[in-house]
Amino acid sequence: MVRYEAHGALIRRLPFTAPLVGRSFRPQAKRLVFCATYFILCFAWMIASTLISGYMYKYPLGELPDLMFRLVPYVPIPYLDLPLYALVVSAFARAIWHTQGLALARRFIFIAGTICMLRGLLQIATALPNPRPMCVVYQDDMQETLTRCGNAVFSSYGVLAVLCACVWHTYSSRVVVALAAWAMAALVLMSRVISREGYTLDLIITPLITVLVWELYHAKCMYPTGGGLIGWLECPDEEGACAKGDIKKR
């Protein structure tokens, strides 16, 4: 019994695992499972929309006129995804050591799923030719087949980078760390344009949509008693006792 209580005290001291021994774990777990299911469905929809868009528009070849393509020469950047990996690892570490780790993870997953759904809609609405140099065409007598050519509406890599920067911006009181996260997110977006993985439109649309959805959700988090889906997600107890303004920097 003494050993069990000692382990329980240790778990309570860890920010992310503290709710595991509290009475609020079950409702939080159900909400986290719901958000994970929601994300999987939205991600599957985004993949399906890519296939639908490819079938509808056949992905035209050639790149569109782009300002950054004129100003900056094409540079095949090696290890292009390293800044993104660093951002993801840092955001994951932030969630583990945050006092609201489960809430942070739930919000991140739900917002990412929502953006995947929006990206799927945009992919069907508009097909942009992919500017990647390796986007080539093979022709034969019967048909024309495009390879490595996806819809370049806006970058999912950029969305993930901006979301990780939003984690540090909202859930950290260290301004320098938040600025470093935003700088790395900007580096991810710029590197994708320089290496011709996307258009300058990525530099505008990706952070605009991501930050807008993030801020709208967290604005609702401040007043979760209004009902609706977000109100249910933000109520920590089964009885519906919602904490007003529970976003913490620690």
Side-chain angles (χ1 to χ4, degrees):
M1 180 64 70
V2 174
R3 180 178 298 180
Y4 175 79
E5 292 178 353
H7 288 323
L10 176 62
I11 292 175
R12 289 187 181 90
R13 284 197 294 268
L14 295 175
F16 186 85
T17 56
L20 298 180
V21 294
R23 61 186 296 268
S24 64
F25 172 66
R26 282 192 63 188
Q28 288 203 46
K30 288 195 295 186
R31 288 162 172 78
L32 187 61
V33 170
F34 172 84
C35 290
T37 305
Y38 173 76
F39 173 79
I40 292 172
L41 293 175
C42 290
F43 187 81
W45 154 249
M46 185 181 71
I47 298 300
S49 69
T50 303
L51 301 177
I52 295 171
S53 178
Y55 176 78
M56 291 173 59
Y57 304 115
K58 304 301 181 184
Y59 288 145
L61 284 177
E63 62 185 40
L64 296 174
D66 190 279
L67 177 63
M68 289 296 294
F69 291 178
R70 289 177 176 269
L71 298 178
V72 180
Y74 165 66
V75 179
I77 302 176
Y79 309 111
L80 180 65
D81 296 329
L82 286 182
L84 178 61
Y85 296 154
L87 271 174
V88 171
V89 171
S90 68
F92 181 75
R94 184 61 188 147
I96 291 178
W97 294 105
H98 194 271
T99 55
Q100 289 181 308
L102 288 177
L104 196 163
R106 181 184 66 238
R107 293 163 184 167
F108 186 97
I109 293 171
F110 184 86
I111 293 171
T114 302
I115 296 175
C116 285
M117 180 179 62
L118 294 175
R119 187 170 185 265
L121 293 174
L122 289 178
Q123 286 188 141
I124 292 180
T126 303
L128 300 181
N130 202 299
R132 287 183 289 186
M134 70 283 294
C135 185
V136 296
V137 61
Y138 293 94
Q139 293 180 329
D140 54 29
D141 297 334
M142 298 298 295
Q143 62 182 355
E144 184 180 84
T145 303
L146 305 181
T147 62
R148 300 180 65 85
C149 300
N151 198 334
V153 175
F154 67 93
S155 170
S156 55
Y157 286 82
V159 168
L160 184 57
V162 175
L163 279 178
C164 292
C166 286
V167 168
W168 283 105
H169 180 86
T170 304
Y171 295 95
S172 175
S173 57
R174 300 177 181 178
V175 178
V176 175
V177 178
L179 290 176
W182 281 115
M184 293 184 68
L187 177 62
V188 171
L189 293 172
M190 281 296 300
S191 63
R192 298 195 67 80
V193 176
I194 295 174
S195 60
R196 302 301 187 263
E197 294 286 331
Y199 293 100
T200 307
L201 192 65
D202 266 350
L203 298 177
I204 303 172
I205 297 297
T206 301
L208 180 64
I209 292 179
T210 306
V211 172
L212 178 63
V213 176
W214 180 274
E215 290 297 329
L216 286 176
Y217 186 95
H218 283 77
K220 181 65 175 177
C221 286
M222 299 296 292
Y223 302 96
T225 57
L229 178 59
I230 297 180
W232 175 75
L233 289 175
E234 294 303 321
C235 290
D237 298 324
E238 290 287 5
E239 293 80 6
C242 299
K244 180 178 177 181
D246 65 338
I247 299 174
K248 300 177 182 178
K249 293 286 185 179
R250 297 183 300 276

